[in-house]
Amino acid sequence: LIEYDMILWPVGFDTFVEGHVYDQLGSPIMNAEVMVGNDGGWGAMQITDDAGFYHINAPYGHYMISVFAEGYNHIWDEVDLTGGPATNFDFFLTPFEVDGAITGVVFDEESGLPLADAEIFVYGYGMPYSYYTDASGEFWFDLQNGEYDLHIRHYDHLPAWIEDVQVENDTV
């Protein structure tokens, strides 16, 4: 038995950032994920309401703020939260254009059987996309044309990387 005592320091929420998430035409986007985080490891996320509004309390500091909504391109920016009046950050998202896809099956190397619940991350054009394989070990990502890296992991297997996968108006 190894025992560890831990001390956690409380975080003071001295300020906040809020705003709206809209599409290109200015219509609110509900259920968008707005995430705020910094290099110190602190972060928070909120889902926009029916009016596309979000409000996140935060300690003073410099943050990355990102927005994801299904069917739209990810967007991010940097913000300094220094207190005083609210920091208002509105975002206007552009629709996601599907040009091709990356698809496949993840297998267990020893048994050769498909591996369910493997997590696949696809990196390229902003934040990563993630998906868990289904019961047949299959995955599918609709993507824009470009170059992508894949990171595959499962809780009881070693991770794997596949780099420089090209999507050019096709499915690979």
Side-chain angles (χ1 to χ4, degrees):
L1 173 69
I2 300 173
E3 184 176 321
Y4 285 101
D5 294 330
M6 302 289 184
I7 297 173
L8 298 178
W9 298 98
V11 173
F13 296 110
D14 308 310
T15 188
F16 59 92
V17 60
E18 66 183 17
H20 291 85
V21 178
Y22 301 107
D23 66 15
Q24 288 177 304
L25 302 174
S27 298
I29 299 175
M30 62 185 281
N31 297 321
E33 295 177 7
V34 180
M35 294 170 276
V36 176
N38 65 15
D39 290 338
W42 184 89
M45 189 269 295
Q46 187 178 31
I47 304 294
T48 58
D49 64 15
D50 292 349
F53 180 76
Y54 71 92
H55 174 100
I56 299 175
N57 293 317
Y60 296 135
H62 182 79
Y63 295 92
M64 291 296 298
I65 184 168
S66 63
V67 180
F68 168 78
E70 191 166 332
Y72 295 90
N73 289 305
H74 295 136
I75 191 170
W76 64 93
D77 206 340
E78 295 183 46
V79 61
D80 286 310
L81 301 179
T82 57
T87 302
N88 189 52
F89 247 79
D90 290 339
F91 291 93
F92 292 84
L93 303 185
T94 57
F96 184 84
E97 300 291 330
V98 175
D99 297 315
I102 296 176
T103 184
V105 179
V106 176
F107 293 96
D108 177 271
E109 192 214 358
E110 290 181 8
S111 70
L113 296 173
L115 191 59
D117 298 321
E119 189 171 18
I120 314 291
F121 291 94
V122 175
Y123 296 93
Y125 296 99
M127 296 187 55
Y129 304 97
S130 66
Y131 182 77
Y132 287 91
T133 56
D134 63 16
S136 301
E138 296 178 1
F139 65 92
W140 181 289
F141 291 93
D142 287 324
L143 298 167
Q144 295 175 312
N145 285 337
E147 183 176 287
Y148 296 90
D149 297 333
L150 281 73
H151 178 215
I152 303 99
R153 66 182 187 183
H154 190 273
Y155 69 92
D156 63 354
H157 289 73
L158 293 173
W161 282 92
I162 301 172
E163 296 181 336
D164 304 326
V165 178
Q166 295 290 328
V167 173
E168 291 296 329
N169 298 317
D170 58 0
T171 300
V172 292

